[in-house]
Amino acid sequence: MSSEKFYVLPQLPYGYGDLAPYMSEEQLRIHHTIHHQAYVNGANAILKRLEEARKGNLDIDVKAVLKELSFNIGGHVLHSMFWRNLAPPGKGGGKPGGRLADTIEKEFGSFERFRKEFTQAAVSVEGSGWAALAFCRILGRPLIMQIEKHNLNIYPAFPIIMVLDVFEHAYYIDYKNKRADFVEAFWNIVDWDEVNKRLEALLG
Ligand code: MN
């Protein structure tokens, strides 16, 4: 991957129909093949444009280009994480285990309190964005953050261990405009093993 010069749409670790009834086959297929693909294409197109401008020594609107690049790369990276922290009902859902359970308990007091705060973070994102659980290595504490669009309000160097997409494109087919219903459904398909793995990699 690191030797690739351009971004590539990753395959999902499950089938398009496997997250139903919480996320329908149609919703997931469109989200992955149309929306996520658009960020991959968008980021690659800008990288190519930059290459051409450098070759021809052409002037570019650096501020606009970087803004667009950050949006598209952010979209690609966040979606790639999102697919991996979901799992079919049965494998996903329930409660976290391992050191993730301890970390959540210690920070939030209980899993229920964490779930409530994360839900509120997701539901109240202004416009399009994400709720994310990140880990601050300075303090060794997890923290919830809201990400506006794909790139605003991110803490530099705080690794993200769980994300929830609350762009309307993530749920409009299944839940119309009812974001809160989609966020509620998310708790049935979150892959705690994967989130725990990410955290444990950081804890060392
Ligand atoms: Mn999305």
Side-chain angles (χ1 to χ4, degrees), residues 146-161:
Q146 289 184 325
I147 302 169
E148 286 182 27
K149 298 188 183 160
H150 298 310
N151 50 348
L152 305 180
N153 303 336
I154 290 184
Y155 298 99
F158 282 26
I160 295 171
I161 59 173

PDB file of all heavy atoms in Angstrom, residues 146-161:
ATOM      1  N   GLN A 146     -15.923  15.108  17.714  1.00  0.00           N
ATOM      2  CA  GLN A 146     -16.775  15.275  16.542  1.00  0.00           C
ATOM      3  C   GLN A 146     -15.878  15.751  15.420  1.00  0.00           C
ATOM      4  O   GLN A 146     -15.005  16.585  15.635  1.00  0.00           O
ATOM      5  CB  GLN A 146     -17.836  16.347  16.789  1.00  0.00           C
ATOM      6  CG  GLN A 146     -18.918  15.935  17.751  1.00  0.00           C
ATOM      7  CD  GLN A 146     -19.981  17.019  17.872  1.00  0.00           C
ATOM      8  OE1 GLN A 146     -19.676  18.190  17.814  1.00  0.00           O
ATOM      9  NE2 GLN A 146     -21.209  16.603  18.062  1.00  0.00           N
ATOM     10  N   ILE A 147     -16.103  15.219  14.234  1.00  0.00           N
ATOM     11  CA  ILE A 147     -15.363  15.676  13.067  1.00  0.00           C
ATOM     12  C   ILE A 147     -16.378  16.286  12.112  1.00  0.00           C
ATOM     13  O   ILE A 147     -17.350  15.614  11.754  1.00  0.00           O
ATOM     14  CB  ILE A 147     -14.630  14.507  12.375  1.00  0.00           C
ATOM     15  CG1 ILE A 147     -13.671  13.828  13.350  1.00  0.00           C
ATOM     16  CG2 ILE A 147     -13.883  15.009  11.127  1.00  0.00           C
ATOM     17  CD1 ILE A 147     -13.106  12.504  12.852  1.00  0.00           C
ATOM     18  N   GLU A 148     -16.182  17.543  11.750  1.00  0.00           N
ATOM     19  CA  GLU A 148     -17.084  18.149  10.772  1.00  0.00           C
ATOM     20  C   GLU A 148     -16.535  17.878   9.382  1.00  0.00           C
ATOM     21  O   GLU A 148     -15.335  17.956   9.151  1.00  0.00           O
ATOM     22  CB  GLU A 148     -17.228  19.648  11.039  1.00  0.00           C
ATOM     23  CG  GLU A 148     -18.097  19.904  12.273  1.00  0.00           C
ATOM     24  CD  GLU A 148     -18.321  21.383  12.547  1.00  0.00           C
ATOM     25  OE1 GLU A 148     -18.287  22.188  11.610  1.00  0.00           O
ATOM     26  OE2 GLU A 148     -18.537  21.708  13.731  1.00  0.00           O
ATOM     27  N   LYS A 149     -17.436  17.582   8.464  1.00  0.00           N
ATOM     28  CA  LYS A 149     -17.068  17.080   7.133  1.00  0.00           C
ATOM     29  C   LYS A 149     -16.138  15.881   7.359  1.00  0.00           C
ATOM     30  O   LYS A 149     -16.481  15.009   8.139  1.00  0.00           O
ATOM     31  CB  LYS A 149     -16.446  18.174   6.287  1.00  0.00           C
ATOM     32  CG  LYS A 149     -17.451  19.310   6.078  1.00  0.00           C
ATOM     33  CD  LYS A 149     -16.960  20.324   5.101  1.00  0.00           C
ATOM     34  CE  LYS A 149     -17.949  21.474   4.981  1.00  0.00           C
ATOM     35  NZ  LYS A 149     -17.315  22.667   4.436  1.00  0.00           N
ATOM     36  N   HIS A 150     -14.973  15.868   6.703  1.00  0.00           N
ATOM     37  CA  HIS A 150     -14.057  14.738   6.942  1.00  0.00           C
ATOM     38  C   HIS A 150     -12.767  15.204   7.593  1.00  0.00           C
ATOM     39  O   HIS A 150     -11.850  14.425   7.782  1.00  0.00           O
ATOM     40  CB  HIS A 150     -13.665  14.074   5.614  1.00  0.00           C
ATOM     41  CG  HIS A 150     -14.804  13.496   4.865  1.00  0.00           C
ATOM     42  ND1 HIS A 150     -15.731  12.651   5.437  1.00  0.00           N
ATOM     43  CD2 HIS A 150     -15.180  13.618   3.577  1.00  0.00           C
ATOM     44  CE1 HIS A 150     -16.613  12.292   4.515  1.00  0.00           C
ATOM     45  NE2 HIS A 150     -16.306  12.874   3.398  1.00  0.00           N
ATOM     46  N   ASN A 151     -12.687  16.486   7.899  1.00  0.00           N
ATOM     47  CA  ASN A 151     -11.344  16.992   8.199  1.00  0.00           C
ATOM     48  C   ASN A 151     -11.284  18.117   9.218  1.00  0.00           C
ATOM     49  O   ASN A 151     -10.204  18.592   9.541  1.00  0.00           O
ATOM     50  CB  ASN A 151     -10.674  17.445   6.899  1.00  0.00           C
ATOM     51  CG  ASN A 151     -11.563  18.369   6.071  1.00  0.00           C
ATOM     52  OD1 ASN A 151     -12.759  18.508   6.346  1.00  0.00           O
ATOM     53  ND2 ASN A 151     -11.006  19.004   5.079  1.00  0.00           N
ATOM     54  N   LEU A 152     -12.419  18.540   9.760  1.00  0.00           N
ATOM     55  CA  LEU A 152     -12.367  19.662  10.692  1.00  0.00           C
ATOM     56  C   LEU A 152     -12.511  19.183  12.131  1.00  0.00           C
ATOM     57  O   LEU A 152     -13.279  18.278  12.407  1.00  0.00           O
ATOM     58  CB  LEU A 152     -13.466  20.678  10.378  1.00  0.00           C
ATOM     59  CG  LEU A 152     -13.489  21.212   8.937  1.00  0.00           C
ATOM     60  CD1 LEU A 152     -14.613  22.213   8.765  1.00  0.00           C
ATOM     61  CD2 LEU A 152     -12.163  21.854   8.575  1.00  0.00           C
ATOM     62  N   ASN A 153     -11.785  19.812  13.006  1.00  0.00           N
ATOM     63  CA  ASN A 153     -11.793  19.533  14.452  1.00  0.00           C
ATOM     64  C   ASN A 153     -11.033  18.266  14.835  1.00  0.00           C
ATOM     65  O   ASN A 153     -11.197  17.754  15.935  1.00  0.00           O
ATOM     66  CB  ASN A 153     -13.225  19.414  15.017  1.00  0.00           C
ATOM     67  CG  ASN A 153     -14.048  20.653  14.762  1.00  0.00           C
ATOM     68  OD1 ASN A 153     -13.475  21.740  14.589  1.00  0.00           O
ATOM     69  ND2 ASN A 153     -15.339  20.519  14.719  1.00  0.00           N
ATOM     70  N   ILE A 154     -10.211  17.769  13.942  1.00  0.00           N
ATOM     71  CA  ILE A 154      -9.403  16.592  14.279  1.00  0.00           C
ATOM     72  C   ILE A 154      -8.205  17.043  15.116  1.00  0.00           C
ATOM     73  O   ILE A 154      -7.595  18.063  14.838  1.00  0.00           O
ATOM     74  CB  ILE A 154      -8.929  15.883  12.985  1.00  0.00           C
ATOM     75  CG1 ILE A 154     -10.148  15.233  12.307  1.00  0.00           C
ATOM     76  CG2 ILE A 154      -7.847  14.867  13.266  1.00  0.00           C
ATOM     77  CD1 ILE A 154      -9.835  14.421  11.088  1.00  0.00           C
ATOM     78  N   TYR A 155      -7.902  16.284  16.168  1.00  0.00           N
ATOM     79  CA  TYR A 155      -6.707  16.580  16.961  1.00  0.00           C
ATOM     80  C   TYR A 155      -5.513  15.945  16.274  1.00  0.00           C
ATOM     81  O   TYR A 155      -5.484  14.732  16.103  1.00  0.00           O
ATOM     82  CB  TYR A 155      -6.811  15.980  18.359  1.00  0.00           C
ATOM     83  CG  TYR A 155      -7.944  16.520  19.196  1.00  0.00           C
ATOM     84  CD1 TYR A 155      -9.140  15.824  19.312  1.00  0.00           C
ATOM     85  CD2 TYR A 155      -7.806  17.727  19.893  1.00  0.00           C
ATOM     86  CE1 TYR A 155     -10.180  16.309  20.093  1.00  0.00           C
ATOM     87  CE2 TYR A 155      -8.838  18.214  20.668  1.00  0.00           C
ATOM     88  CZ  TYR A 155     -10.030  17.500  20.763  1.00  0.00           C
ATOM     89  OH  TYR A 155     -11.043  17.986  21.526  1.00  0.00           O
ATOM     90  N   PRO A 156      -4.521  16.727  15.908  1.00  0.00           N
ATOM     91  CA  PRO A 156      -3.355  16.124  15.243  1.00  0.00           C
ATOM     92  C   PRO A 156      -2.711  15.081  16.152  1.00  0.00           C
ATOM     93  O   PRO A 156      -2.597  15.303  17.350  1.00  0.00           O
ATOM     94  CB  PRO A 156      -2.401  17.314  15.046  1.00  0.00           C
ATOM     95  CG  PRO A 156      -3.263  18.516  15.153  1.00  0.00           C
ATOM     96  CD  PRO A 156      -4.391  18.165  16.082  1.00  0.00           C
ATOM     97  N   ALA A 157      -2.358  13.953  15.564  1.00  0.00           N
ATOM     98  CA  ALA A 157      -1.599  12.901  16.262  1.00  0.00           C
ATOM     99  C   ALA A 157      -2.363  12.173  17.363  1.00  0.00           C
ATOM    100  O   ALA A 157      -1.771  11.459  18.144  1.00  0.00           O
ATOM    101  CB  ALA A 157      -0.279  13.439  16.811  1.00  0.00           C
ATOM    102  N   PHE A 158      -3.684  12.385  17.437  1.00  0.00           N
ATOM    103  CA  PHE A 158      -4.470  11.558  18.347  1.00  0.00           C
ATOM    104  C   PHE A 158      -5.064  10.437  17.502  1.00  0.00           C
ATOM    105  O   PHE A 158      -5.992  10.667  16.735  1.00  0.00           O
ATOM    106  CB  PHE A 158      -5.630  12.342  18.974  1.00  0.00           C
ATOM    107  CG  PHE A 158      -5.242  13.254  20.103  1.00  0.00           C
ATOM    108  CD1 PHE A 158      -3.965  13.787  20.198  1.00  0.00           C
ATOM    109  CD2 PHE A 158      -6.170  13.595  21.071  1.00  0.00           C
ATOM    110  CE1 PHE A 158      -3.618  14.650  21.230  1.00  0.00           C
ATOM    111  CE2 PHE A 158      -5.830  14.451  22.111  1.00  0.00           C
ATOM    112  CZ  PHE A 158      -4.562  14.981  22.193  1.00  0.00           C
ATOM    113  N   PRO A 159      -4.552   9.232  17.621  1.00  0.00           N
ATOM    114  CA  PRO A 159      -5.059   8.155  16.773  1.00  0.00           C
ATOM    115  C   PRO A 159      -6.539   7.861  17.052  1.00  0.00           C
ATOM    116  O   PRO A 159      -6.973   7.873  18.203  1.00  0.00           O
ATOM    117  CB  PRO A 159      -4.189   6.952  17.126  1.00  0.00           C
ATOM    118  CG  PRO A 159      -3.309   7.375  18.218  1.00  0.00           C
ATOM    119  CD  PRO A 159      -3.505   8.810  18.532  1.00  0.00           C
ATOM    120  N   ILE A 160      -7.290   7.624  15.998  1.00  0.00           N
ATOM    121  CA  ILE A 160      -8.713   7.311  16.110  1.00  0.00           C
ATOM    122  C   ILE A 160      -8.862   5.805  16.194  1.00  0.00           C
ATOM    123  O   ILE A 160      -8.226   5.069  15.446  1.00  0.00           O
ATOM    124  CB  ILE A 160      -9.463   7.865  14.882  1.00  0.00           C
ATOM    125  CG1 ILE A 160      -9.384   9.397  14.873  1.00  0.00           C
ATOM    126  CG2 ILE A 160     -10.922   7.404  14.875  1.00  0.00           C
ATOM    127  CD1 ILE A 160      -9.896  10.032  13.584  1.00  0.00           C
ATOM    128  N   ILE A 161      -9.688   5.336  17.119  1.00  0.00           N
ATOM    129  CA  ILE A 161      -9.871   3.883  17.244  1.00  0.00           C
ATOM    130  C   ILE A 161     -11.280   3.431  16.860  1.00  0.00           C
ATOM    131  O   ILE A 161     -11.536   2.252  16.687  1.00  0.00           O
ATOM    132  CB  ILE A 161      -9.507   3.370  18.663  1.00  0.00           C
ATOM    133  CG1 ILE A 161     -10.354   4.040  19.748  1.00  0.00           C
ATOM    134  CG2 ILE A 161      -8.027   3.602  18.932  1.00  0.00           C
ATOM    135  CD1 ILE A 161     -10.130   3.420  21.127  1.00  0.00           C
TER     136      ILE A 161
END
